[in-house]
Amino acid sequence: MFKLILSSAIAVLLLTINALAQSSYVQFTYDARGNRTGRQIVFSTERLSQEQSSASDVFKDQIGLATVQIYPNPVHNSFKVSIQDSSITTGILGTIKVMDSRGNAIGENTIKDGYGEFDMANQPTGTYLIQINYHDKNIVWKALKQ
């Protein structure tokens, strides 16, 4: 009887930890000059859309009124970028530039209406820099290609 209660409690605990891990993201804070001053892991009960693979593959960066998401990371074949910025009333337009770890340009793609995608299927495994530019804002991310 004790083993049954213990295994049930462990199962509930693992399900809770799994649910928290799937709904967490990293949030950054910035000073008035745009320097990153803080980073925290945020746990949320918000569910992601079916288009996104899972919350553990989604990375969010909060910059002022903008929320930038890159998913999945690590990248298998391609990654997507989603930008939501309440300070911009028209469609969000921008570019995605990808560079290898040595700074060599891999390619570029556009962001239209806040969404963009970049195909990395032909790239070797490694670390890449993703530079996102939109409406005079510049964000650089690190992504892993598996």
Side-chain angles (χ1 to χ4, degrees), residues 47-121:
R47 293 288 176 196
L48 299 172
S49 68
Q50 293 296 329
E51 182 182 82
Q52 299 173 354
S53 58
S54 75
S56 62
D57 294 344
V58 178
F59 291 88
K60 289 184 180 181
D61 199 352
Q62 189 74 33
I63 301 172
L65 299 175
T67 301
V68 180
Q69 297 179 348
I70 294 182
Y71 55 95
N73 190 3
V75 178
H76 297 284
N77 293 318
S78 67
F79 67 87
K80 296 178 183 180
V81 173
S82 170
I83 302 172
Q84 297 173 352
D85 192 331
S86 61
S87 68
I88 299 173
T89 57
T90 60
I92 296 175
L93 302 174
T95 60
I96 303 168
K97 295 179 184 177
V98 179
M99 296 163 281
D100 65 13
S101 59
R102 289 180 261 160
N104 299 323
I106 301 299
E108 185 173 319
N109 207 352
T110 59
I111 297 171
K112 183 177 180 185
D113 293 329
Y115 295 96
E117 187 170 357
F118 192 88
D119 183 17
M120 293 186 67

